[in-house]
Structures are given as structure tokens and as C-alpha cells.
Amino acid sequence: MLEEPPILTIRKDFERVPASKLAELDGAQTGHVVDAMRGRGGLDRAIKPVDPDNARFIGTAFPVETGPSDNLAITAGVALAKPGDVIVAASDAFETTAVCGDIVAMLAKNAGCAAMVFDGMTRDLVGLLEVGLPMFSRGITPNSCVKSGPGRVGLPIVAGGVHIEAGDVIMGDLDGVVVIPHAELDRVIAEVKAIRKAEAETISRVKEGKLSRLPFIDGLLGSDRVKYVD
């Protein structure tokens, strides 16, 4: 006979990213980070800010796995979170019921969480806006979920199609949410700095009217890799 699984499986101790390291990405866009990760790392496009006026965040990922229509693991994650954590929940992209409302959001803010990200739905929009915590989800519905488990806290998940582990860096803005694996953080930070510098120079030249096309295109258009038919 199979044993009943535990209601919750929890890993609460892991290395958080120092605030000084996160500060090196201050002002970067999610698109800059994705470019540094060879065009990938962003969560499903459906996961967008609940409040577009409060969308920017960066912090250490504290993943939870809830399954559909259940938020027991989310409430446990909030109870165990440390300042600067981002609760990111794998909820099977379930869109019939919400897995977080204004009360849980208030608790997360009181715990010092930097943001909350859900591969699922949220509710209590008026209250969420008042809380003022950056929150991302697939949308809003008044339908409520249960707190029955089983769930996992602090263990690897897949949310929005992206593998996420505790201690990864997660950041968001109006474009969406992107995850930086902890092992790649130093490389990504260095590349983001170079990308931002090059992009700022290009934008400046475009705004000044000095460019009407990107420099690389002239070489391509004049090469044997292009066939003209007129």
C-alpha cells in the first residue's frame, strides 16, 4: 500500500543573493538580461504585472509548487520568506481559480518580500493595488482555491516554462519576468553592462538622426548571402 505523501515538503535554507550583487543590475531591463542569456529566460508572455505602475522588481527566487487550485505552499513560503525574496509559484498555469489574494499579499509585504510571481491567477484586485507589492500573474478572477496540499517549498520548479531554483535571481518589469540562474549571474551581470552601454550609444545616435539603419545591415546587403531579384 502506498504511503500518503507529506502535505508539504520544504527546503527553507539556501544561499540568498546579496543586495550589493543585485544592485549591479539596477536599471537594467528584462530584455537586456534575456539578450545576455542568448535570447531566453523569460517566463510565459501571459504572466504580466497586476499593476503596470508597480512592475519593476529584482530579488532572490523562493520557488513554491502548488499545483492547480491550491495555495498551501504559497502561504508556507510567505511564512518562511526572508527580506528580498521573491515568491514564485508554479500553479500549472491554472486559470479557473486564484491562488493569491490581498491578505496573502499583505503578509508577503510584511515579510519583506520583493515581489510575488504566479504561473496562475490572482484575485482581490482593489486590495492588491493598495498593498503596493509588485505582483505578476496570468490574470484576475474572483474564484478562490483551497489550502490542502500537497505542495513543495524551496525546491526546483518549472513556472511559465522556465526552470527555477531557490537562489536564482528573478526580475520583472512591464515586459514580463526573467530568471537568471545563480551559476550564470556574474557572467550575465558583465554582459548586461556591455549590452546597456552599446544600446545607449546606438539609441543616442538614432535620436540625433545619425542612423537610419543598423550598421551591420550594410555589410549583409552587399554580400553574396543576399540574392536580389530586380
Side-chain angles (χ1 to χ4, degrees), residues 92-138:
D92 290 355
F94 191 66
E95 296 187 356
T96 301
T97 60
V99 292
C100 182
D102 54 0
I103 293 176
V104 173
M106 283 188 281
L107 295 173
K109 185 174 184 180
N110 290 346
C113 290
M116 303 183 83
V117 177
F118 304 96
D119 190 4
M121 306 290 280
T122 47
R123 58 176 278 174
D124 306 327
L125 179 57
V126 172
L128 294 181
L129 296 177
E130 292 177 353
V131 172
L133 182 70
M135 299 188 69
F136 285 67
S137 72
R138 288 181 170 269

Side-chain angles (χ1 to χ4, degrees), residues 180-203:
I180 307 171
H182 189 274
E184 295 189 40
L185 182 56
D186 288 337
R187 179 190 65 78
V188 169
I189 287 174
E191 291 201 22
V192 164
K193 290 178 180 178
I195 289 168
R196 293 180 67 187
K197 182 176 184 294
E199 185 173 285
E201 292 172 352
T202 299
I203 290 174

